[in-house]
């Protein structure tokens, strides 16, 4: 009901469709969707020089009655709202995050690494984090219950296919999420600029979750206090810290080197 007592209007079909779809650009991002979930592709736009490279995708579009158009590069600039489209743009269905319970249910045994993002919002940082996560075999990116973070076209392009390789997981209440993760054998490590144990010298558990906060504000203090470990990346001191995407890559490499 609306504030005036009347039913609020439902979203129009076109608005609902837009909300359900994501405009991707960049050849690796679109190839990754085609490889993993081709049925999500709704429309494709490309410039002529990309036709030979994308022939398998174009043949699939024809066979499955998915529309595609060959357009000029400047048209792709407008469609992507970016000049970094690499000659191809696609409208695809969004993939909604899975629940924490679902993810834990299907998770394999043995060493597992995941990332908990607390307040990270920049799409380029998210894309770089997803790329590093795919490279190092991260099991999931965990999102707080009310986080507005989601994969955008810019994030998917920067991720270079990593957005399709790493599941996004939506958690419930923080206390419940902490309990579920610990029950599954995970240790949570708050990553802090200073005052934490040297990540290169620390004993890193077989099943670990790095908790990363936003640049500037950092992570929630209560969340940091609730973690089992506090880890820092030592440096020269010539700059205060790495940005969150660069720090993530270092942290992931430190864990991977122990396995």
């Amino acid at each position: 009901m609306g504030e005036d007592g009347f039913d609020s209007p439902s979203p129009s079909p076109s608005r609902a469709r837009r909300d359900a779809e994501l405009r991707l650009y960049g050849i690796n991002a679109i190839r990754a969707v085609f490889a993993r979930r081709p049925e999500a592709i709704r429309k494709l736009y490309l410039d002529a020089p990309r036709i030979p490279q994308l022939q398998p995708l174009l043949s699939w579009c024809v066979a499955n009655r998915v529309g595609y158009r060959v357009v000029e590069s400047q048209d792709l600039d407008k469609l992507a709202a970016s000049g970094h489209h690499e000659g191809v743009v696609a409208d695809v269905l969004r993939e909604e995050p899975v629940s924490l319970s679902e993810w834990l249910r299907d998770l394999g045994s043995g060493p597992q690494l995941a990332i908990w993002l607390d307040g990270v919002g920049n799409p380029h940082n998210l894309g770089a984090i997803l790329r590093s996560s795919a490279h190092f075999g991260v099991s999931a990116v965990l999102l707080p219950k009310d986080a507005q973070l989601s994969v955008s076209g810019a994030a998917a392009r920067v991720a270079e296919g990593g957005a399709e390789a790493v599941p996004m997981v939506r958690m419930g209440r923080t206390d419940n999420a902490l309990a579920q993760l610990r029950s599954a054998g995970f240790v949570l490590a708050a990553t802090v600029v200073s005052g934490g144990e040297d990540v290169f010298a620390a004993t890193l558990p077989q099943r670990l979750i790095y908790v990363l906060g936003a640049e500037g504000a950092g992570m929630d203090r209560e969340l940091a206090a609730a973690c089992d470990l506090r880890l820092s990346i030592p440096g020269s001191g010539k700059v205060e810290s790495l940005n969150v995407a660069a720090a993530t890559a270092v942290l992931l490499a430190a864990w991977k080197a122990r396995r």
Side-chain angles (χ1 to χ4, degrees), residues 198-250:
D198 181 341
V199 70
F200 300 119
T203 299
L204 299 180
Q206 293 277 310
R207 292 168 80 89
L208 177 65
I209 294 171
Y210 285 123
V211 183
L212 295 140
E215 290 185 57
M219 76 180 68
D220 180 82
R221 289 185 179 182
E222 290 186 7
L223 176 58
C227 290
D228 307 296
L229 305 173
R230 292 173 69 85
L231 298 173
S232 297
I233 300 171
S236 67
K238 293 179 180 179
V239 293
E240 183 182 6
S241 64
L242 297 170
N243 93 342
V244 67
T248 298
V250 172

Side-chain angles (χ1 to χ4, degrees), residues 11-158:
S12 68
S14 60
R15 171 64 184 273
R17 185 170 61 252
R18 286 197 303 272
D19 290 345
E21 291 181 359
L22 172 65
R23 179 154 289 173
L24 291 185
Y25 52 94
I27 192 162
N28 286 334
I30 291 168
R31 277 176 166 168
V33 174
F34 178 52
R36 180 169 166 264
R37 50 188 189 107
E39 71 285 350
I41 298 171
R42 287 293 176 263
K43 194 156 188 179
L44 185 71
Y45 308 87
L46 71 160
D47 60 12
R50 283 298 186 195
I51 292 174
Q53 292 171 289
L54 294 173
Q55 196 59 56
L57 173 53
L58 298 178
S59 298
W60 184 90
C61 287
V62 171
N64 291 274
R65 298 183 179 181
V66 172
Y68 73 87
R69 290 177 58 191
V70 178
V71 298
E72 299 297 323
S73 183
Q74 57 264 36
D75 296 319
L76 294 174
D77 293 346
K78 293 176 183 176
L79 286 165
S82 168
H84 300 292
H85 48 71
E86 301 172 337
V88 59
V89 175
D91 292 331
V92 305
L93 290 178
R94 287 185 179 275
E95 187 170 35
E96 292 302 317
V98 300
S99 71
L100 182 59
S101 296
E102 288 178 283
W103 177 65
L104 289 173
R105 180 195 65 204
D106 297 333
L107 190 64
S109 59
Q112 298 285 348
L113 180 63
I115 297 171
W116 178 320
L117 296 182
D118 180 54
V120 175
N122 182 286
H124 290 87
N125 280 338
L126 175 60
I129 287 169
L130 289 170
R131 184 175 183 176
S132 295
S133 297
H135 179 79
F136 288 109
V138 166
S139 300
V141 170
L142 311 180
L143 304 176
K145 179 181 178 180
D146 298 321
Q148 299 301 307
L149 187 63
S150 63
V151 174
S152 64
R157 184 194 66 79
V158 173

